[in-house]
Amino acid sequence: MTTTGTGADPAVVGPYLADVLGEEAWRTPTITLIAGGKSNLTYRVSSAAGDVILRRPPLGHVLPTAHDMNREYTAMAALAPTDVPVPKMLHLCREPDLLGQPFYVMEAVDGYVCRDRLPAGYADRPDQRRAVGEGLIRVLGDLHNVDPGSVGLGEFGRPDGYLARQVARWTKQWEATRLDGMEALDRLAADLAASVPTSQRATIVHGDYRLDNTMLDPTTPGRIAAVLDWEMCTLGDPLADLGILLVYWQQADDASERDLGGVVQSATVLEGFPNRAEVAQIYADRSGLDLAELPWYVSFAFWKLAVVCAGIVARVRFGAMVGEGFDGIEERIPPLVELGRATLADRRLL
């Protein structure tokens, strides 16, 4: 029994999975930390019975309402019969005694998780990369077209006042992990709170929808094999998801001020992917929503990402994060805040 990271002891996880999954082969697993997680920790659990994925919160102190395993599990289990591709949920452990926090286990989906590049030989042609981009937008539209009540998620959130609560929630998150010298982040929070738009309709909202929170089908460019990372899913304003997608959607002609290094890197810079204006138009055509207030949502997404980065910096300092890829994150926070400020002030996509 081996593991490449802490937080999922094979001697604990193996016997537990053997009991709850009803297969003795799980009793002696190999557990590998999947690289790249800066929030919840994701592990591949392998045995003679096959592979499954285990998700748990980060090590150490966890902020209230953050890293909610029950929320992730419930959202994906409910979406299983819809057009939104999600992994099959296998087991939820709500008790923290075993690993120090609740966790869940899901099927291991075959596919590519891509960030700043695509695998060699995959979607090499511009038309295939266009298909990948359109597939991402199509799935987002499918999610926003799901009737929450029809899948048992009618009480999954409070859509009335969603945007104002989001600003307040992330302001509290920032206050809990405050870094010195970041007063501009406070000013942008105040500007966002003073200009909250009116939501057009309420839908299931993913909360962090972007290329690297999906798995691409390995044989069919344009088909999304699974949408992952549902910890912030709720009922709310669908344009919040579009705002996040656009913040992470880099394009080849981006100016230097939008170079955010390791915080925002995306394969969408490659030839063939739609640009941000096209993404917005494709989504508008599919959803029927008015995008006149979209700059507010994009500004909010820049600001929220800055708060997330501040939280990561704080957890790294306290030793509550494992894995790599955390260097330079603090230096990227001021540019995120400035992009948010400029987007809100200029009322255009940057």
Side-chain angles (χ1 to χ4, degrees):
M1 295 185 291
T2 62
T3 179
T4 60
T6 56
D9 184 352
V12 175
V13 172
Y16 183 78
L17 291 187
D19 290 342
V20 298
L21 299 182
E23 172 56 67
E24 279 298 302
W26 289 115
R27 196 167 294 276
T28 55
T30 296
I31 301 181
T32 306
L33 176 68
I34 297 175
K38 295 183 176 64
S39 181
N40 289 328
L41 304 179
T42 306
Y43 303 84
R44 180 175 292 272
V45 184
S46 303
S47 76
D51 290 355
V52 294
I53 302 298
L54 185 150
R55 288 266 286 174
R56 59 150 294 159
L59 307 179
H61 176 65
V62 175
L63 294 171
T65 75
H67 317 292
D68 191 334
M69 297 294 95
N70 181 70
R71 178 162 292 272
E72 281 202 354
Y73 184 94
T74 299
M76 286 188 279
L79 289 168
T82 73
D83 290 334
V84 181
V86 290
K88 181 181 179 181
M89 297 294 101
L90 300 176
H91 178 73
L92 170 65
C93 178
R94 292 185 173 88
E95 299 301 323
D97 296 345
L98 277 156
L99 300 183
Q101 291 286 347
F103 65 91
Y104 69 86
V105 179
M106 61 185 175
E107 71 170 345
V109 176
D110 186 22
Y112 299 128
V113 176
C114 303
R115 191 183 188 196
D116 59 340
R117 60 178 62 88
L118 299 176
Y122 181 78
D124 286 337
R125 302 196 313 267
D127 64 301
Q128 292 175 321
R129 293 192 285 269
R130 176 85 182 190
V132 172
E134 291 180 347
L136 288 167
I137 306 165
R138 182 178 64 251
V139 168
L140 185 60
D142 289 343
L143 172 63
H144 294 160
N145 286 332
V146 172
D147 174 14
S150 70
V151 295
L153 296 180
E155 304 298 322
F156 202 59
R158 295 179 294 133
D160 290 344
Y162 166 78
L163 293 176
R165 286 198 311 277
Q166 281 286 294
V167 174
R169 173 196 170 186
W170 287 96
T171 298
K172 290 179 181 178
Q173 193 106 331
W174 159 240
E175 290 170 350
T177 54
R178 180 177 293 276
L179 305 175
D180 293 336
M182 298 285 180
E183 292 77 11
L185 205 154
D186 292 303
R187 291 192 293 272
L188 181 54
D191 291 342
L192 289 165
S195 57
V196 174
T198 300
S199 297
Q200 297 172 62
R201 70 170 185 246
T203 70
I204 300 169
V205 173
H206 179 275
D208 197 19
Y209 190 83
R210 61 183 196 260
L211 173 63
D212 57 324
N213 275 339
T214 68
M215 294 193 76
L216 306 182
D217 184 274
T219 61
T220 308
R223 180 179 178 273
I224 308 302
V227 180
L228 309 172
D229 207 0
W230 294 83
E231 67 177 284
M232 291 185 284
C233 178
T234 189
L235 302 186
D237 190 319
L239 292 187
D241 275 343
L242 182 60
I244 290 167
L245 181 64
L246 289 170
V247 161
Y248 280 95
W249 200 284
Q250 291 184 301
Q251 55 193 47
D253 61 351
D254 277 339
S256 59
E257 60 265 21
R258 213 180 190 276
D259 178 12
L260 296 169
V263 175
V264 176
Q265 292 177 308
S266 178
T268 55
V269 298
L270 299 173
E271 181 186 1
F273 277 97
N275 62 32
R276 285 188 293 274
E278 290 174 317
V279 170
Q281 188 58 57
I282 293 168
Y283 178 86
D285 292 342
R286 190 169 185 86
S287 67
L289 292 173
D290 184 346
L291 302 189
E293 296 295 331
L294 183 58
W296 186 95
Y297 296 86
V298 175
S299 176
F300 171 70
F302 275 124
W303 173 75
K304 185 169 75 169
L305 181 55
V307 174
V308 169
C309 290
I312 292 170
V313 171
R315 290 199 298 276
V316 169
R317 289 178 180 177
F318 283 107
M321 297 295 292
V322 297
E324 300 176 350
F326 306 118
D327 293 340
I329 288 182
E330 185 171 357
E331 290 74 18
R332 300 301 176 182
I333 297 174
L336 284 168
V337 175
E338 173 56 25
L339 282 166
R341 185 209 63 77
T343 301
L344 189 64
D346 296 347
R347 292 190 58 80
R348 62 184 179 87
L349 301 183
L350 298 178

